[in-house]
Amino acid sequence: MSNRDAYEQKLRAKLDEWKAEIDKLKAQAQSSEADARLKEEREQEAEQLEQKREELRQKLEEMRASGDDAWDDLKEGAERAWKSMSDSFDKARSRFN
């Protein structure tokens, strides 16, 4: 397996993990007995995470479709998106746990 394939598998696995976490946040928001404002905040946070996850998924698809020359450039963009997504999840976890 090439480094590229391994990286793509790692990214795909993380995307799946993040999807499960987003679904968990959405479920918490729906079942929340807290006030309406907190429920709305959780729903908005989950939606923002879903959008970032989708952006990262699209970057992965671009990487898969790219030639070897463009792959390194796309990987750098994916790394930035990955960092942003990780930071957003950390923030969400700290706010809602």
Side-chain angles (χ1 to χ4, degrees):
M1 178 182 297
S2 72
N3 285 341
R4 180 178 175 165
D5 292 336
Y7 183 82
E8 288 176 6
Q9 277 188 337
K10 178 181 171 182
L11 188 55
R12 195 175 345 274
K14 195 63 176 175
L15 285 170
D16 290 343
E17 180 183 324
W18 283 332
K19 177 160 182 13
E21 289 189 47
I22 291 167
D23 290 344
K24 183 179 173 181
L25 281 174
K26 287 180 179 179
Q28 287 174 345
Q30 292 301 315
S31 66
S32 177
E33 294 180 13
D35 63 39
R37 186 180 56 81
L38 180 58
K39 183 178 180 179
E40 184 177 329
E41 285 178 15
R42 286 186 176 189
E43 289 172 344
Q44 288 175 353
E45 189 79 30
E47 182 61 32
Q48 289 171 356
L49 290 169
E50 187 69 41
Q51 289 173 359
K52 286 184 180 212
R53 183 190 167 278
E54 179 60 22
E55 289 171 14
L56 191 53
R57 189 196 63 75
Q58 289 175 359
K59 291 242 185 246
L60 174 61
E61 292 305 315
E62 288 175 22
M63 289 171 58
R64 292 185 74 215
S66 72
D68 290 337
D69 295 337
W71 190 82
D72 287 330
D73 292 335
L74 291 171
K75 182 180 175 188
E76 288 178 24
E79 290 288 334
R80 285 190 299 276
W82 182 305
K83 171 87 170 99
S84 176
M85 185 74 173
S86 292
D87 292 346
S88 294
F89 264 108
D90 290 344
K91 180 181 173 188
R93 280 187 205 108
S94 69
R95 288 181 60 203
F96 296 117
N97 287 331

